């Protein structure tokens, strides 16, 4: 896929191909930006999740609760995750679990697409 400079191309982590999401299609979908840059604890991770995603007050700060929330989405939603590579070293294992969770969510819920991007545009 050639980028002529007018489109934004994001690597799809679940498939060898690419998603091409021109600016105008962002309005047709719900787009959630989840910036994980610089986080160093699970508490910070869930603070960022709460900022990006509407979660109920009773949301528990754990991956199972996040899975439940994201698999319940019933409209086309693109989640753009940025900064996973710039988290603190102590978060590496948790980020791996989060990435696996994302794969499970995309396999379970056809309405959710999770894309990892280097920069928030």
């Amino acid at each position: 896929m050639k980028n002529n400079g007018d489109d934004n191309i994001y690597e799809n982590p679940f498939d060898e191909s690419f998603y091409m999401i021109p600016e105008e299609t962002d309005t047709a979908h719900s787009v959630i930006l989840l910036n994980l840059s610089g986080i160093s604890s699970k508490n910070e991770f869930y603070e960022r999740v709460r900022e990006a995603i509407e979660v109920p007050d009773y949301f528990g700060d754990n991956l199972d609760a996040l899975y439940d929330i994201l698999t319940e989405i019933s409209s086309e939603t693109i989640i753009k995750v940025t900064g996973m590579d710039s988290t603190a070293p102590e978060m590496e294992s948790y980020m791996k679990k989060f990435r696996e969770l994302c794969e499970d969510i995309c396999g379970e819920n056809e309405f959710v697409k999770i894309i990892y991007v280097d920069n928030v545009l």
Side-chain angles (χ1 to χ4, degrees):
M1 196 174 296
K2 185 176 179 186
N3 183 357
N4 62 12
D6 294 332
D7 298 323
N8 300 312
I9 297 177
Y10 304 104
E11 186 174 338
N12 177 356
F14 310 118
D15 166 335
E16 299 285 304
S17 65
F18 291 94
Y19 272 108
M20 194 167 173
I21 306 173
E23 290 295 322
E24 60 271 9
T25 61
D26 282 351
T27 59
H29 298 85
S30 175
V31 178
I32 297 171
L33 300 176
L34 178 57
N35 183 348
L36 301 177
S37 297
I39 63 168
S40 60
S41 69
K42 290 179 188 177
N43 287 339
E44 285 181 85
F45 173 80
Y46 287 107
E47 285 174 21
R48 300 278 180 93
V49 166
R50 287 177 185 281
E51 290 170 5
I53 302 170
E54 287 185 39
V55 297
D57 292 337
Y58 60 84
F59 175 75
D61 290 349
N62 61 67
L63 293 176
D64 288 337
L66 184 58
Y67 176 88
D68 291 344
I69 295 299
L70 296 180
T71 55
E72 292 176 2
I73 291 175
S74 59
S75 62
E76 294 291 325
T77 302
I78 298 169
I79 302 173
K80 295 180 182 179
V81 180
T82 187
M84 280 189 66
D85 293 336
S86 63
T87 61
E90 57 266 29
M91 290 299 293
E92 184 177 336
S93 173
Y94 205 71
M95 290 298 98
K96 182 178 179 188
K97 290 177 186 176
F98 173 64
R99 191 175 209 118
E100 291 169 0
L101 175 89
C102 291
E103 291 178 30
D104 292 344
I105 290 165
C106 290
E108 180 71 26
N109 188 339
E110 65 184 325
F111 295 111
V112 176
K113 304 287 184 257
I114 300 174
I115 301 167
Y116 303 107
V117 294
D118 292 329
N119 298 308
V120 177
L121 301 173

